[in-house]
Amino acid sequence: GTGREMAFAPGWLENQSVWLHMSYKFYLELLRHDLFDIFFDEMKGGGILPFMDPGVYGRSLMECSSFIASSAFEDPSMRGRGFLA
């Protein structure tokens, strides 16, 4: 890798984290293509903010985040937590 992805640990910011706005674009495309079962499985599985586990998310579900530290992040206690960028 090069550039900004090298500046961050895996699972953090541009290096393998989960950007919520991109996830929501994916969910919107599921709906646009009539993939309702997959969409609802994702939603109920915690892929959409109101259905996430607040203990894992690390903040109130009423608070937005820019990204979520992914399973690639080295500190397991930070994985799944929401952060602002």
Side-chain angles (χ1 to χ4, degrees), residues 23 34 36 38 41 48 51-52 73 79-80 84:
S23 295
D34 298 329
F36 303 115
I38 297 171
D41 286 345
I48 297 176
F51 300 96
M52 291 180 182
F73 194 65
R79 295 174 186 164
L84 291 175

Side-chain angles (χ1 to χ4, degrees), residues 12-31:
W12 190 260
L13 282 172
E14 275 100 9
N15 193 0
Q16 303 176 38
S17 69
V18 178
W19 288 91
L20 289 173
H21 74 284
M22 295 304 291
S23 295
Y24 291 160
K25 286 181 181 185
F26 170 72
Y27 299 136
L28 178 59
E29 290 305 312
L30 290 175
L31 293 173

Side-chain angles (χ1 to χ4, degrees), residues 11 34 46 67 78:
D34 298 329
F67 71 97
M78 300 298 274

Side-chain angles (χ1 to χ4, degrees), residues 26-85:
F26 170 72
Y27 299 136
L28 178 59
E29 290 305 312
L30 290 175
L31 293 173
R32 284 184 175 158
H33 290 88
D34 298 329
L35 299 169
F36 303 115
D37 290 338
I38 297 171
F39 171 79
F40 283 108
D41 286 345
E42 289 286 328
M43 182 183 75
K44 291 186 287 186
I48 297 176
L49 186 59
F51 300 96
M52 291 180 182
D53 178 348
V56 174
Y57 186 59
R59 58 195 317 150
S60 166
L61 296 179
M62 300 299 289
E63 294 181 57
C64 293
S65 291
S66 302
F67 71 97
I68 295 175
S70 76
S71 60
F73 194 65
E74 59 196 29
D75 182 351
S77 70
M78 300 298 274
R79 295 174 186 164
R81 295 179 80 83
F83 298 92
L84 291 175

